[in-house]
């Protein structure tokens, strides 16, 4: 997974604290790396495995009692994070009250952290439920929070790099964890 050198990239957008984290490495995702082999929690579901890792290794920004916030390994944009329940559940309608409330609370806190850390000016927030809706990992629901800046490019602005840059994601995680508010 180790890319040799961070690559300088030209890109549109307003400079922010993430600097040159402009590297949505979507090809690895498209090729199916880290995809679960089935729909059960024991089938290599990354959202079940990630909480077992340290915050640094799992790129976890914050942990709650029922949900956690984690950076997307294949971001649409710098700072793209996801809020997921710990429980392996596919349908939003199946979340219990505690999960529902904390997922909303963490989504609000994610907005605050991203504004503080990166000056995000807007967001795309939401879920893809089901394969037909475009969910990458449909078996374990996750709320996307994608920060946007004026002048940034739409999805997939940079193609051709197939590996993530672990160090840059780690720096982003640290920034966001440090900006994570104690309450929404
Ligand atoms: Zn899972």
């Amino acid at each position: 997974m180790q890319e040799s050198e961070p690559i300088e990239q030209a890109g549109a957008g307003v400079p922010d604290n993430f600097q040159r984290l402009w590297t949505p490495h979507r090809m690895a995702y498209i090729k199916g790396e880290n995809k679960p082999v089935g729909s059960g929690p024991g089938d290599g579901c990354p959202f079940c495995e990630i909480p077992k890792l340290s915050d640094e290794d799992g790129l976890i920004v914050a942990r709650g009692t029922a949900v956690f916030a984690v950076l997307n390994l294949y971001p649409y944009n710098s700072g793209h994070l996801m809020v997921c329940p710990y429980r392996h559940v596919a349908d939003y309608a199946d979340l219990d009250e505690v999960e529902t409330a904390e997922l909303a609370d963490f989504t609000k806190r994610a907005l605050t952290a991203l504004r503080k850390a990166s000056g995000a000016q807007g967001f795309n927030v939401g879920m893809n439920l089901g394969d037909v809706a475009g969910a990458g990992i449909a078996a374990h629901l996750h709320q996307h929070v994608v920060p946007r800046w004026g002048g940034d490019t739409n999805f997939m602005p940079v193609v051709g790099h197939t590996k993530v840059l672990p160090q840059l994601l780690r720096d982003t995680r640290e920034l966001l964890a440090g900006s994570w508010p104690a309450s929404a």
Side-chain angles (χ1 to χ4, degrees):
M1 293 288 283
Q2 191 72 38
E3 184 94 26
S4 52
E5 293 282 330
I7 299 162
E8 290 292 338
Q9 296 183 39
V14 179
D16 57 62
N17 286 336
F18 293 141
Q19 297 173 344
R20 53 197 167 70
L21 266 170
W22 265 101
T23 45
H25 305 280
R26 301 293 297 171
M27 287 308 293
Y29 177 78
I30 291 163
K31 288 175 181 170
E33 291 179 18
N34 297 347
K35 292 276 279 184
V37 296
S39 61
D43 294 329
C45 173
F47 297 128
C48 288
E49 296 302 316
I50 286 166
K52 300 173 187 170
L53 303 173
S54 68
D55 288 358
E56 288 75 17
D57 289 343
L59 298 173
I60 293 170
V61 174
R63 298 178 194 250
T65 53
V67 308
F68 64 101
V70 60
L71 281 188
N72 192 317
L73 203 50
Y74 309 108
Y76 283 127
N77 209 349
S78 305
H80 177 179
L81 59 79
M82 298 169 297
V83 180
C84 319
Y86 292 115
R87 190 161 63 94
H88 187 82
V89 55
D91 193 344
Y92 181 65
D94 289 336
L95 290 185
D96 65 26
E97 282 183 31
V98 173
E99 289 164 338
T100 303
E102 199 174 41
L103 189 127
D105 177 80
F106 260 46
T107 301
K108 290 162 79 174
R109 288 205 248 176
L111 302 181
T112 300
L114 284 162
R115 284 197 181 101
K116 184 177 172 191
S118 73
Q121 297 165 331
F123 298 91
N124 296 108
V125 176
M127 293 176 228
N128 301 319
L129 298 177
D131 290 317
V132 295
I137 296 162
H140 194 142
L141 77 85
H142 45 285
Q143 168 111 297
H144 292 274
V145 180
V146 183
R148 305 297 301 267
W149 295 268
D152 68 5
T153 330
N154 213 320
F155 293 164
M156 300 186 69
V158 180
V159 285
H161 302 299
T162 60
K163 298 294 186 185
V164 293
L165 303 174
Q167 191 54 50
L168 297 184
L169 287 170
R170 281 169 180 256
D171 291 347
T172 302
R173 189 213 69 82
E174 204 174 318
L175 256 177
L176 291 175
S179 301
W180 193 261
S183 61

